[in-house]
Amino acid sequence: MNLKTVSPKNKIDTYDVEKIRRDFPVLLQKVHGQKLCYLDNAATTQKPRSVIDAVSRYYETINSNVHRGVHSLSEMATQAYEDSRTTVKNFINAASEKEIIFTRGTTEAINLVAHSYGKINLKEGDEVLITNMEHHSNIVPWQLICEEKNAKLKVVPVNNDGELIFEEFEKQLNERTKIVSVVYVSNSLGTINPVKKIIDKAHSFGIPVLLDGAQAIQHLKIDVQELDCDFFAFSGHKIYGPTGIGVLYGREKLLESMPPYMGGGDMISKVTFEKTTYNELPHKFEAGTPHISGAIGLAEALRYINKIGIKKISAYEKEILNYAASSLLQVNGLKVIGQAKEKSSVISFVFDNIHPHDVGTFLDFEGIAVRTGHHCTQPLMDRFNIPATTRASFALYNTKEEVDILVNGLKKVLEVFN
Amino acid sequence: MNDELRELYQQVILDHNKSPRNFRVIEHANHHSEGYNPLCGDRIDVFIDVEEGIVKDISFQGSGCAISKASASLMSSTVKGKTVDEAEKLFEKFHSLITGKADGDPEELGKLAVFAGVRDFPARVKCASLAWHTMINALKKEKDVVTTE
Ligand SMILES: Cc1ncc(COP(=O)(O)O)c(C=O)c1O
């Protein structure tokens, strides 16, 4: 199936999804004898051949430790690792490589900021502002530091459509607020938050903003300078890269002012038992041997995205989302949770009398992979008074046919339960 | 429907899911416990009235998948009238059945044997056993201990 889009030069560009699908070896598999229909992309995305190859090529050719050896392999590995940082920098348009810190993922990136920034900026009575739709990894790190510092964690509510109530956000900002940490795109509902507005408002109080970009980076064009965010966290595995690698972008001035998060090799410039001086950015925040092959794989994934073009991907995914939203209306009794006006390619839904677990098990036998549960957003589930949802999340390789397979699968589930 | 699925979602299970037995609160139960499955967010409350070592009445409330609801429903109807001792032994047998370690005679489990299909779905063992764990917990606790929760 091709989606035609008109490029600025008035040329017809086609989005060749079948060709894209051939880049992803996993997609050729069968599950329970059925063609795999992978709709759990918000949990993790599949990897294109080029990423898999880049990782094995690293181990086959230049595997060694970085920033230490004078031998050729170590120099090449260091070069490849640092080139990957540059690729990330360019991908999100950061001002400098110093602002790109490799982490294990979004979770570690947020923990880094919570602990390091929190350590020197939070004191008793201060406030950290998050929202009701955060992933547990943008809640718990803040709870930990707030407990330590006797600071308060404040929560901006969401409305029945799953949108942030902006007026409430404005009301809760005050001189005690020391940082705002919000999810850009909700992993449970797909809501795209008005982050630019949030950032501008917070900055008018001089408050920095962290964006949890775990579900934004693979769907939207990200320009950290245009957004003017202070921190941006994302995971490699959700953007077609390896697991175990992620990124914290941080504004250089802020990162400079923050103490190290972990101590060890690589993050120091001089160690004596009396005093240790820390390495320069970004190495100050990268203690120990990093995930070298992960960084290389991530850079390859970003090149893969660039080859297709993130804007084209966005437009295509929007088409799939709209098609899914209207197709799912055919399924009796299905109720979508999260009806935000601005949504990314996630659809969460429930039935009155059928539990998500049962839906998930039946769909699995149709070859359809969806996520069922609370999606690490229990406070959000509580907000909607539900224990769990079934979630279908789409990526650049999903097709309208797969949406049809999902709809048919759901109809079969209804036959059994009604 | 696929055979494995049919084995898991037997008609009896679908039926108990749709119209669960003993799905109510026992106002003055002398045993009560709340069970929680953090993986899926399911909650269940089990109420039991024990008199002279016998389960005189047992009921449950809560939300959950078909497997967990049917399991709670069948558990309550099986255990009612049995001694506390028998109820605990039954749980051991039931647990062996759903984890595929069944030794003894499946006959002893009566209707509970419909849960044999769970052994092919390791992720669902927790669903099938939640009500039972909660019941065992409730039996261990006196009412006044529970109400302070
Ligand atoms: C919105 C959001 N934030 C944070 C995370 C955590 O990401 P990771 O587990 O890769 O650290 C996820 C992943 O599920 C997510 O969807």
Side-chain angles (χ1 to χ4, degrees), chain A residues 82 94 240 298 337:
Chain A
E82 292 305 325
Y240 314 102
L298 170 58
I337 304 292

Side-chain angles (χ1 to χ4, degrees), chain A residues 68-83:
Chain A
R68 317 190 170 174
V70 291
H71 60 81
S72 305
L73 288 194
S74 176
E75 274 173 14
M76 282 191 278
T78 304
Q79 187 69 45
Y81 181 67
E82 292 305 325
D83 283 352

Side-chain angles (χ1 to χ4, degrees), chain A residues 32 353-366 371-374 378 382 386-388 416-418, chain B residues 1-2 4-5 8-9 14 17-18 36-43 63-67 69 121 123-124 127:
Chain A
H32 292 299
N353 298 315
I354 316 171
H355 192 278
H357 268 192
D358 299 315
V359 175
T361 299
F362 272 84
L363 292 183
D364 181 46
F365 277 84
E366 300 292 323
R371 173 86 184 266
T372 62
H374 51 60
Q378 282 184 4
D382 291 345
I386 46 178
V416 175
F417 282 90
N418 289 336
Chain B
M1 212 198 295
N2 166 290
E4 235 173 300
L5 260 189
L8 179 65
Y9 290 94
L14 292 174
N17 172 50
K18 220 168 177 176
Y36 180 57
N37 183 349
L39 196 70
C40 48
D42 290 347
R43 276 168 211 281
S63 71
C65 65
I67 307 301
K69 222 159 157 191
F121 295 81
R124 306 305 289 273
C127 310

Side-chain angles (χ1 to χ4, degrees), chain B residues 73-132:
Chain B
S73 172
L74 274 154
M75 173 189 83
S76 65
S77 34
T78 311
V79 159
K80 204 188 281 191
K82 294 217 162 33
T83 66
V84 169
D85 226 32
E86 285 168 334
E88 285 170 356
K89 291 226 169 70
L90 208 53
F91 172 54
E92 281 167 32
K93 289 213 176 72
F94 180 75
H95 201 261
S96 305
L97 174 82
I98 60 175
T99 49
K101 291 187 220 114
D103 24 28
D105 185 2
E107 290 277 294
E108 288 175 63
L109 282 165
K111 271 191 177 171
L112 296 175
V114 296
F115 288 98
V118 173
R119 64 175 170 240
D120 296 322
F121 295 81
R124 306 305 289 273
V125 169
K126 281 216 169 84
C127 310
S129 57
L130 179 64
W132 288 86

Side-chain angles (χ1 to χ4, degrees), chain A residues 42-43 105-108 110 135 137 183 185-187 212 214-215 235 237-238:
Chain A
T106 309
T107 304
E108 192 181 61
I110 298 174
H135 188 280
S137 67
V183 68
V185 174
S186 156
N187 62 308
D212 171 353
Q215 301 292 344
S235 302
H237 69 97
K238 293 190 199 274

Side-chain angles (χ1 to χ4, degrees), chain A residues 2-71:
Chain A
N2 293 335
L3 172 78
K4 293 201 163 57
T5 53
V6 181
S7 79
K9 288 179 217 124
N10 245 356
K11 264 197 327 209
I12 302 287
D13 279 343
T14 52
Y15 188 94
D16 191 348
V17 71
E18 289 309 325
K19 179 164 171 283
I20 287 171
R21 290 181 70 79
R22 287 195 292 277
D23 294 336
F24 291 80
V26 162
L27 298 180
L28 302 173
Q29 272 181 99
K30 290 200 162 175
V31 170
H32 292 299
Q34 311 283 331
K35 215 177 108 181
L36 170 65
C37 176
Y38 187 78
L39 303 180
D40 192 17
N41 295 287
T44 199
T45 51
Q46 300 302 340
K47 322 304 171 200
R49 168 63 64 200
S50 61
V51 168
I52 300 166
D53 286 349
V55 171
S56 24
R57 209 174 326 114
Y58 164 77
Y59 285 118
E60 285 168 11
T61 56
I62 58 171
N63 174 57
S64 54
N65 213 325
V66 291
H67 304 139
R68 317 190 170 174
V70 291
H71 60 81

